[in-house]
Amino acid sequence: MRNALWVTWLRRPLRVALAESARFVREADSWRALGAAFAGVPWCVRHRRVLPRHVEGWCRRIDAQARRLARTSARATAATQLR
C-alpha cells in the first residue's frame, strides 16, 4: 500500500493523487499501515515530478481497464455464489 501511494503522489496529477488517497483510506486494512504510508507523503510532494500528459493518458486507460476487469470479476464471483 505504501509504495503505491507514494508513486501516485510522486508521479500522478493532484486530482488522481487525492482520489487514490481517499481510496486507500476506504480500503485500509490497518490504521497503522495507513499512517505509515501517509507519513511519507510530504517527502513525495517535495520530490514530485508529474508524468507527461501522454503517459498520464496511458495510465488512465490502464486504470479504466483494471476497474472494468474488477467489476466483471466481482459480478462473476457473485453469480457463482448465488448458484
Side-chain angles (χ1 to χ4, degrees):
M1 174 196 316
R2 183 195 70 188
N3 290 350
L5 181 67
W6 288 7
V7 168
T8 299
W9 273 97
L10 282 167
R11 304 296 284 155
R12 303 295 297 270
L14 182 60
R15 184 171 51 115
V16 175
L18 291 171
E20 284 297 301
S21 295
R23 186 178 66 81
F24 279 115
V25 169
R26 284 192 309 272
E27 297 176 1
D29 292 334
S30 156
W31 286 105
R32 186 178 195 174
L34 189 64
F38 275 100
V41 169
W43 180 90
C44 294
V45 170
R46 285 192 305 273
H47 293 87
R48 207 168 141 73
R49 281 190 12 224
V50 178
L51 294 169
R53 280 189 139 155
H54 70 282
V55 177
E56 177 58 28
W58 297 337
C59 289
R60 286 176 191 249
R61 286 187 205 118
I62 292 168
D63 292 346
Q65 181 65 20
R67 283 191 302 275
R68 280 192 292 276
L69 288 172
R71 283 193 305 268
T72 302
S73 176
R75 276 189 238 128
T77 300
T80 302
Q81 291 173 350
L82 291 176
R83 293 182 191 170

